[in-house]
Amino acid sequence: MTQLADFPITRRWPPRRENVIQLYSLGTPNGVKVSIMLEELGVDYDVHRISIGDPEDQLTPEYLSLNPNNKIPAMIDPDGPGGEPMGLWESGAILTYLGDKYDRFLPQSGAARWHTLQWLFWQMGGVGPMFGQVGFFHRYKGKEIEDPRPRQRYYNEARRLLGVLDRQLQGRDWITGDYSIADIATGPWVRTISRFYEAEAQVGLADFTAVNAWLDRFEARPAVERGWQQPRNPE
Ligand SMILES: N[C@@H](CCC(=O)N[C@@H](CS)C(=O)NCC(=O)O)C(=O)O
């Protein structure tokens, strides 16, 4: 039977508690999706801070042994399928796994399940990559690039996606009606536009009134505030 100690990553980042979920993360929009989900579920977890800058923890052999894609977040559930420990990466896969395991924030069957997954995939394939490029060209290294076309393309695409979200939120408190992993995946990215990237004017965030009301509801959830703080300090 596999044990937590069989995962090489546990040698560099030892579990503090052997029987709880081990989360490898950083306070970025993809990272906090998982800590927010765990806080919403009220599930115990150990969080290990994985630097993606200097030092580049995510390029160490121990980290790559869990996530060959060298990105955060990743996790190990010591009580995975069949009671065996299981490693998992890609935030959308992790949210889906946790939603199914605890039967919360993801309907188990019917149209509501597929619509929740549809909006989760929309976030994973659209909002995350496009908003991330807004960050790169507006706030980070791409800022120095003089050609305005890539920057403008991502502003336009982010604005388009916010319009899609705004229309979906007309008459709904949450993306698919009930609070779900679609909201948990999308909220941190919309919050990041203003909190990290300071690009709200460029993407016209103020124009999307339903999105802003939804973001207020999301930020008011105590679990969102707690999850947003993880990992709290270098550990
Ligand atoms: N699709 C992946 C994306 C993960 C991702 O891009 N994570 C970023 C932080 S938000 C990262 O690890 N960046 C480090 C790098 O690109 O080297 C997921 O959702 O888990």
Side-chain angles (χ1 to χ4, degrees):
M1 179 165 167
T2 319
Q3 313 213 332
L4 206 48
D6 296 331
F7 289 79
I9 194 168
T10 62
R11 293 201 275 277
R12 191 179 177 102
W13 290 279
R16 289 181 285 282
R17 293 166 295 176
E18 295 282 334
N19 57 344
V20 304
I21 286 176
Q22 303 295 305
L23 173 63
Y24 306 90
S25 191
L26 191 64
T28 72
N30 286 318
V32 300
K33 287 176 194 173
V34 180
S35 40
I36 289 172
M37 179 68 169
L38 290 165
E39 294 287 342
E40 291 282 13
L41 292 168
V43 166
D44 264 348
Y45 60 104
D46 285 351
V47 59
H48 305 278
R49 187 176 197 280
I50 305 298
S51 171
I52 58 174
D54 183 19
E56 293 190 304
D57 288 338
Q58 98 269 28
L59 297 178
T60 59
E62 292 89 348
Y63 191 73
L64 292 170
S65 70
L66 179 63
N67 184 354
N69 194 38
N70 65 270
K71 306 264 181 188
I72 62 94
M75 60 157 246
I76 303 173
D77 183 356
D79 180 29
E84 294 267 323
M86 181 182 75
L88 202 58
W89 47 277
E90 277 294 325
S91 58
I94 295 173
L95 291 179
T96 305
Y97 169 73
L98 292 172
D100 272 353
K101 176 171 177 177
Y102 294 98
D103 192 13
R104 301 224 21 226
F105 312 120
L106 173 61
Q108 297 273 326
S109 62
R113 176 178 180 82
W114 301 111
H115 290 150
T116 303
L117 291 174
Q118 164 191 281
W119 284 98
L120 174 70
F121 278 57
W122 173 80
Q123 184 287 308
M124 296 297 299
V127 172
M130 294 300 123
F131 285 25
Q133 297 302 326
V134 168
F136 179 80
F137 285 102
H138 179 80
R139 181 78 207 270
Y140 303 119
K141 288 192 185 128
K143 205 174 153 179
E144 291 143 30
I145 296 170
E146 282 174 21
D147 186 341
R149 285 171 295 184
R151 191 173 300 107
Q152 196 57 52
R153 168 171 164 69
Y154 295 115
Y155 291 155
N156 292 347
E157 189 58 6
R159 169 181 270 277
R160 185 190 70 78
L161 288 161
L162 286 168
V164 173
L165 182 57
D166 204 68
R167 286 189 291 281
Q168 176 65 13
L169 286 167
Q170 301 296 324
R172 291 184 184 88
D173 277 355
W174 303 108
I175 295 176
T176 56
D178 290 332
Y179 184 65
S180 76
I181 57 173
D183 302 286
I184 293 172
T186 310
W189 275 104
V190 177
R191 193 183 207 201
T192 290
I193 284 287
S194 50
R195 291 290 183 105
F196 286 164
Y197 299 163
E198 298 172 8
E200 57 270 47
Q202 288 74 12
V203 304
L205 186 58
D207 299 341
F208 301 106
T209 47
V211 169
N212 284 292
W214 162 84
L215 189 59
D216 287 346
R217 281 190 290 279
F218 182 69
E219 291 180 339
R221 297 180 72 91
V224 169
E225 197 43 46
R226 290 196 303 274
W228 186 264
Q229 308 292 336
Q230 297 297 338
R232 205 173 285 278
N233 291 308
E235 295 172 67

